[in-house]
Amino acid sequence: MSYNITEVTVVPQTGLRHTATLIFMHGSGWNGVLSKNDLEMVFGQEFSFPHIRVVYPTSPERPYTPCNGKIQRVWFDRQAVDISAPEDVSSIKPMAEELNRLIDKEVSLGIDVKRIVLESVPEAERPLLFMCHGDSDKVVPWAWGERTFAQLQQRGVKGEFHSFPGLNHSLCKREVELMKKWLVDLLPDV
């Protein structure tokens, strides 16, 4: 079974110059096109920028253990959807290599690696993180998101954590607005 990224949806910058890139990774069982459509539906318009190209890769299909081995579009496998369940590390390395190929492509287009954001984690000397979580999430409990953010902060990752009251496992317009502002502040046009 091949674990290569074969589908990539791209929203080009709306201005003349492409000076930064956002690589937006979808959640388990989803794909790049659905993520793009979700952002547009929640935001009420295309999620685009004058100078930032948005790339939506789709993960390859693989057996996913939490779904009894059913074939799913996921970036890596894990034993269960639980904070204490281990990830299948052997499935992470091939995906990291695939994502590095996407980054290399952007660099070949003239984009500085420090102006490439991978799902809101920039490839810079000091990683930054923009993280949002609904406090009513029944798939990935809010405490898991809060704990993950705290652990990343302990490792020196700087960032923002936004909690959304009443939000389940989905997006909301305010979340997308905050993310867009954060990206433009992080990656201003040059």
Side-chain angles (χ1 to χ4, degrees), residues 24-26 31 48 66 83 99 136 138 146 160 162 166 180:
F24 196 96
M25 296 167 59
H26 62 79
N31 65 44
S48 61
I83 194 164
L99 293 169
S136 297
K138 292 175 182 38
E146 183 183 47
E160 300 176 16
H162 298 273
K180 189 165 186 173

Side-chain angles (χ1 to χ4, degrees), residues 28-179:
S28 298
W30 222 229
N31 65 44
V33 171
L34 291 173
S35 290
K36 175 187 173 293
N37 293 345
D38 278 355
L39 280 170
E40 289 174 2
M41 181 180 67
V42 170
F43 193 54
Q45 62 187 32
E46 186 172 69
F47 188 71
S48 61
F49 304 84
H51 61 290
I52 301 172
R53 173 176 137 124
V54 184
V55 177
Y56 298 91
T58 294
S59 67
E61 293 182 327
R62 69 171 71 237
Y64 191 47
T65 303
C67 292
N68 298 316
K70 182 180 174 189
I71 300 297
Q72 297 273 308
R73 291 203 176 274
V74 294
W75 297 105
F76 59 91
D77 195 17
R78 59 183 318 120
Q79 297 307 305
V81 180
D82 185 278
I83 194 164
S84 62
E87 284 97 10
D88 177 359
V89 177
S90 70
S91 68
I92 295 173
K93 186 178 180 195
M95 285 300 85
E97 291 168 357
E98 284 295 299
L99 293 169
N100 278 331
R101 281 193 259 292
L102 285 178
I103 292 168
D104 290 345
K105 180 177 181 184
E106 296 304 306
V107 169
S108 76
L109 294 172
I111 304 304
D112 185 324
V113 71
K114 292 180 181 176
R115 293 186 53 79
I116 299 171
V117 174
L118 180 60
E119 190 158 356
S120 303
V121 181
E123 295 292 320
E125 291 175 15
R126 293 180 178 261
L128 300 174
L129 176 65
F130 181 86
M131 192 169 175
C132 297
H133 209 113
D135 71 357
S136 297
D137 193 331
K138 292 175 182 38
V139 177
V140 179
W142 180 85
W144 187 351
E146 183 183 47
R147 180 173 160 192
T148 300
F149 186 75
Q151 288 174 339
L152 289 168
Q153 283 187 309
Q154 290 170 358
R155 289 173 174 78
V157 174
K158 304 222 182 299
E160 300 176 16
F161 182 84
H162 298 273
S163 183
F164 294 91
L167 186 66
N168 195 349
H169 193 69
S170 59
L171 292 170
C172 69
K173 186 171 184 175
R174 181 69 182 138
E175 176 182 11
V176 178
E177 290 168 345
L178 287 169
M179 179 174 55

